[in-house]
Amino acid sequence: MEKRPLGQSDLHVYPITFGGNVFGWTINEKQSFEILDAFTGAGFNFIDTADMYSRWADGNVGGESETIIGNWLQKRGRRDDVIIATKVGNDMGDGKKGLKKAYILQAVEDSLTRLKTDYIDLYQTHFDDVETPVEETLEAYAQLVKEGKVRYIGASNMTPERLLESLQVSADKGFPVYQTLQPHYNLYDRAGYESTVEPIALEHNLGVIPYWSLASGFLTGKYRSAADFGKSPRGGGMEKYLDARGNKILTALDTVATELNTTQAAVALAWLIHRPGITAPIVSATSLNQLDSIIQAPQLAITPAQLELLTTESGY
C-alpha cells in the first residue's frame, strides 16, 4: 500500500479516507476511539470531518465529530501521525454559515479548539456561498495559511464555474490554491461528477476525495429489496438505487466479490481507487467488521477485466 499526494501539496495519504460524520451520531466517543485506533493501527492516516458534523442528530448542535477527534488526538498523542481535514461554510445555526472572511476566521478558531490542535492539514470549503466573492474567501484562507493555522485548502460542492474562477483568482492574486476536490461520486452516482468537474480535477491535478463512496450503503449489497430498508437509519434512502441499473451494478459487484473472495463494499471502493484522479475515497464505518471490509480495498488484486466489467455495468 503506497501513499498518494493530495493534489500538488506535500501531504501524502493512504488511499482510504475515514469519514468522521458518524462520530457523535451513530457511534459514541468510546466506539469512535475503537474505530480510529483500528483504522490508524492498520496503517491509514487520513481523517475527514466538518464543523457541522453531526448537527442533524437529535440533541446535537454541531462540532460533535471534531470534538471526538480532538479528544482522541489528545489522548493518543497521534497528531503528527495523521492528516486531519475539516470543512467550513455549512449551516451551524444562529446565522453561522457561509464563506465571508470574518466568519471563516472565527470558524477556524472554533474548529481548532474542538480538534485540540493548532493547525489543520486540509481546510475545505464545504458548500459554496455564491453571495461571497471567491476572492474574499481565498483571502481569508491566505491569512490562515500565513498564520500557520491551515496548511492547505480544498473544495467541495462547487459548480465548475466557481471552481475554475477560484483557481484563476488564486493564480492571479498569489492566494493558496485548492489542492483537493470532494465531490459526490461512486459506482452508481457517476454522471454528475464525470460530466462536470472531473475534467477540471484532472487538468489542474486536484486530489479527488469523493464522499458517499458506497452510496450510503447501497454498494455494500445489503439492500436488495424494500424488506431490507429497515437494516439501518439510511435504509429509507435506498429505494432510488433499486432500479434496473442498480441491480446490474449489484450483480457485477457480486461477481467480482466472489472471484476475489471479498465483500461488495471492498470491490466498490477498489473501483473508485483505480479511477483517474481519485486519491482516497471517503468512507465511514460503525463497527470493526465494517472497517475490516473497507481497509481491504486498496490491496485487492482486482484485474483490468474486473474493473471494466464494473465500469460497463454501471454505465449511464
Side-chain angles (χ1 to χ4, degrees):
M1 188 169 64
E2 295 183 358
K3 287 183 178 179
R4 298 175 169 186
L6 277 176
Q8 300 178 75
S9 76
D10 64 359
L11 301 176
H12 289 75
V13 300
Y14 292 107
I16 290 288
T17 311
F18 193 90
N21 60 314
V22 293
F23 300 150
W25 174 31
T26 50
I27 54 176
N28 60 28
E29 181 166 286
K30 180 177 181 294
Q31 294 166 322
S32 301
F33 278 25
E34 291 173 353
I35 293 287
L36 286 168
D37 286 342
F39 182 70
T40 55
F44 295 89
N45 67 330
F46 192 21
I47 302 164
D48 177 79
T49 186
D51 56 3
M52 63 86 63
Y53 293 169
S54 48
R55 184 171 175 260
W56 57 82
D58 288 344
N60 285 3
V61 296
E64 288 80 12
S65 176
E66 288 183 334
T67 298
I68 286 174
I69 293 169
N71 290 342
W72 177 79
L73 290 172
Q74 184 180 63
K75 291 185 178 180
R76 298 294 189 264
R78 298 293 302 274
R79 182 64 188 94
D80 293 339
D81 300 332
V82 293
I83 305 297
I84 299 294
T86 192
K87 311 181 197 74
V88 63
N90 210 341
D91 191 355
M92 290 287 285
D94 298 325
K96 295 186 291 185
K97 64 178 180 178
L99 298 173
K100 294 191 179 301
K101 181 177 180 180
Y103 176 67
I104 290 175
L105 297 181
Q106 179 55 56
V108 77
E109 297 297 337
D110 295 339
S111 287
L112 289 168
T113 297
R114 288 188 290 261
L115 288 165
K116 293 182 171 60
T117 183
D118 55 6
Y119 68 96
I120 293 165
D121 297 292
L122 181 67
Y123 200 42
Q124 302 161 97
T125 292
H126 199 167
F127 284 90
D128 197 8
D129 172 8
V130 296
E131 296 179 359
T132 301
V134 296
E135 184 171 346
E136 179 177 346
T137 299
L138 293 166
E139 187 178 274
Y141 292 149
Q143 180 174 328
L144 295 177
V145 170
K146 183 177 180 180
E147 293 173 350
K149 295 175 181 176
V150 167
R151 295 179 67 187
Y152 296 99
I153 61 170
S156 181
N157 303 299
M158 296 186 80
T159 64
E161 295 78 15
R162 289 275 287 187
L163 179 58
L164 283 170
E165 182 185 359
S166 298
L167 294 170
Q168 189 62 55
V169 168
S170 290
D172 293 344
K173 301 285 187 178
F175 291 148
V177 180
Y178 286 132
Q179 296 295 332
T180 59
L181 179 66
Q182 187 174 140
H184 176 189
Y185 185 49
N186 56 59
L187 189 59
Y188 185 99
D189 300 297
R190 292 178 53 187
Y193 168 71
E194 292 179 7
S195 65
T196 58
V197 292
E198 182 183 49
I200 299 172
L202 294 175
E203 179 182 353
H204 292 270
N205 295 312
L206 301 180
V208 181
I209 47 176
Y211 66 87
W212 289 356
S213 297
L214 293 175
S216 299
F218 174 71
L219 298 175
T220 66
K222 70 180 179 181
Y223 302 103
R224 305 282 178 154
S225 70
D228 297 325
F229 293 169
K231 289 183 175 180
S232 82
R234 294 181 171 182
M238 292 299 110
E239 186 174 1
K240 63 185 177 184
Y241 295 115
L242 286 173
D243 55 13
R245 179 168 168 267
N247 285 320
K248 284 180 65 177
I249 291 171
L250 289 180
T251 299
L253 285 172
D254 291 342
T255 297
V256 178
T258 298
E259 291 172 352
L260 296 176
N261 191 30
T262 188
T263 65
Q264 291 88 345
V267 171
L269 290 172
W271 178 84
L272 265 181
I273 289 169
H274 284 82
R275 294 297 290 171
I278 300 298
T279 303
I282 301 170
V283 63
S284 301
T286 57
S287 70
L288 294 179
N289 282 339
Q290 288 181 5
L291 182 66
D292 183 60
S293 174
I294 288 164
I295 62 180
Q296 291 178 30
Q299 300 185 71
L300 280 186
I302 195 164
T303 68
Q306 289 166 334
L307 291 170
E308 181 58 30
L309 173 69
L310 295 165
T311 301
T312 300
E313 294 301 286
S314 63
Y316 52 92

